[in-house]
Amino acid sequence: MTGTRAGDGFPEIVVQRPAPGGGRRVTVGAVRLGLAHSDRDVIEFLRRAGLDDADQLVLGDSPAIQWRGGRPHEYGAG
């Protein structure tokens, strides 16, 4: 998916609720990308998945990213 931008047929991006031990699972569609402990982690996961505008999406609070079960940009224990 290199060269892809969110909204151009890219699957749903979800940052799940904070885990009991900290961090948040990041998924794109049905694919688990990893456990993020910071915005930087989310950006890197999305970049590796082929999303060119990952930093703009995460840091710009894009509606293309669903933050579930917690406030955006918070990664502490849930």
Side-chain angles (χ1 to χ4, degrees), residues 15-18 23-24 36-37 39 67 70-77:
V15 180
Q16 303 291 343
R17 72 179 132 177
R24 298 174 85 151
H37 293 277
D39 286 345
W67 297 84
R71 297 179 67 176
H73 314 288
E74 291 184 2
Y75 298 88

Side-chain angles (χ1 to χ4, degrees), residues 1-2 4 7 10 19-20 30 32-33 36 40 43 52 55 59 66-67 71 77:
M1 291 192 127
T2 302
T4 304
F10 201 80
R32 291 182 185 176
L33 300 182
R40 198 89 214 113
I43 292 167
D52 288 342
D55 56 339
L59 301 176
Q66 294 182 32
W67 297 84
R71 297 179 67 176

Side-chain angles (χ1 to χ4, degrees), residues 3-28:
T4 304
R5 300 181 68 78
D8 292 343
F10 201 80
E12 178 180 57
I13 302 166
V14 178
V15 180
Q16 303 291 343
R17 72 179 132 177
R24 298 174 85 151
R25 189 175 63 224
V26 180
T27 59
V28 174

Side-chain angles (χ1 to χ4, degrees), residues 45-60:
F45 294 156
L46 296 177
R47 186 191 64 75
R48 289 181 185 178
L51 193 61
D52 288 342
D53 55 351
D55 56 339
Q56 295 169 17
L57 290 174
V58 174
L59 301 176

